[in-house]
Amino acid sequence: MTSSPRIFPEGFLWGSATASYQIEGAVAEDGRGPSIWDTLSHTPGKVMNGDTGDVADDHYHRWSADLDIIKDLGLQAYRFSIAWPRIQPDGSGAFNAKGDEFYSRLVDGLLERGVRPVVTLYHWDLPQALEDRGGWTNRDTAFRFADYATHVAGVLGDRVETWTTLNEPWCSAFLGYASGIHAPGRTEPESALKAAHHLNLAHGLAGRAVRDALGADTQLSVTLNLHVTRPDDPDSAADRDAIRQLDAIGNRVFLGPMLDGAYPKDLLDDTKSVSDWSFVQDGDEATCAVPLDVLGINYYSTSRARRHTGDGPMEHADGHGDTGHSPWVGADDIEFRTQPGPYTAMGWNIDPSGMVELLTDMSRRYPDLPLMVTENGAAFYDTVAEDGSVPDADRTSYLHDHIDAVGQAVDAGADVRGYFLWSLLDNFEWAWGYDRRFGIVRVDFDNLERTVKDSAKWYSRLIATNQLPPV
Ligand code: IFM
């Protein structure tokens, strides 16, 4: 029996995503200031093979040809981020007209090609000058972010409808300030909690600033990488409680203030030996809860955890890399177990059921809030065939199964409005440099030539028909 192909609702938005530091390059050009990722990537031993984003995909110069690829593939929307240090080199004070012009050209180029621009204001490239004053541990950074957001809204607001404040603040706070695998590379658990709070505050302040500047039609959003973690032994109360704790420090630390207007009490209890949270001031939580029009969700894989008992060594298979410092603040006795395969090149397990679980769960928790998958995709070690093509069947199969999972969630009642594939281009994959390729378009890092991979052709067919093609 052959089943009929999955059809997506009319108007379902199909796009792809990138981020400024991962693709732009031109880090010292046209007045851009240094960011924390410039600093970290130039610190020996912090990024695989000593890679940096100095050149990356050279998208800063090749943007027009990249937009032609977007158009040729039929993508309906393109999610990109703005480099704060390109717009405001020191993170405060003077703005840089050349930065405004670059993103203005990009937005015009998208609109000319019939592609909807979806802007993310912060995808991890904090101006280094702000980190020198404490970075996200400094409350003032949240106010500086709102000023920067107001400026960008003024520059692009006549042409951009959808505004995302932050991308994956969990990574900024906990990988940046607790495990230190991401910039600024600090390993201070209390600083991570402070950073999380100031990111929540930054979201609220900037979201309000953008809405005030652009009016009620603005589509306001934030993108979270919510963790789907399952108990090692579902019958163990201790393991189930470990999952509750990880949900608090991994998910509700942002969902609470942003969507419910308060930090969850269990989170404050779980972390009380690390911090008394006195950096949360009266009225902050209400500020964080700026009303949203859509919630962006990034999903890649699942994890499995348990309370560690006994003296044996702990596994740290949470997929975020191991620096010897845990990003899971207050959860030192929780052990992440190795998941069964198959895996992507990141070592992440392939588990589309997590996508269904996450989308349906979020829709149940926030029934009035539409969802958008703002990132999903996979890194594999691609090979180039003799004819020059890139037959990345493993990526196509991953995409097929995860997009099918999105469809299953929609069938189950989740209000999902669109899907953005990560990523358009192979790019700088943070601590893993150029070793891990997520693109549906190959970038040859010797000559920067682009090659459309087979997965992109498959995705293009899906967009053209709104039906999931077979693999
Ligand atoms: O490359 C990253 C992206 O910057 C944020 N989300 C996860 C992707 C894959 O690791």
Side-chain angles (χ1 to χ4, degrees), residues 248-321:
I249 191 73
N251 302 331
R252 288 182 286 122
V253 61
F254 297 106
L255 293 172
M258 287 181 181
L259 297 179
D260 306 324
Y263 284 101
K265 184 170 174 322
D266 58 334
L267 169 71
L268 306 184
D269 287 345
D270 293 336
T271 53
K272 64 176 185 288
S273 65
V274 179
S275 176
D276 62 5
W277 290 76
S278 54
F279 45 80
V280 181
Q281 299 186 7
D282 282 353
D284 279 4
E285 288 155 296
T287 302
C288 299
V290 55
L292 295 182
D293 302 288
V294 60
L295 176 65
I297 293 188
N298 293 356
Y299 174 81
Y300 290 90
S301 66
T302 54
S303 17
R304 196 158 58 103
R306 68 175 181 188
R307 284 259 176 235
H308 186 67
T309 45
D311 302 326
M314 293 236 286
E315 276 185 81
H316 293 283
D318 70 350
H320 295 297

Side-chain angles (χ1 to χ4, degrees), residues 19 22 123-124 167-168 298 300 346 348 375 422 427-430 438:
Q22 295 182 270
H123 196 129
W124 308 353
N167 177 74
E168 301 186 352
N298 293 356
Y300 290 90
M346 296 298 284
W348 299 346
E375 279 183 32
W422 185 269
N427 59 46
F428 177 81
E429 177 53 28
W430 309 113
F438 274 91

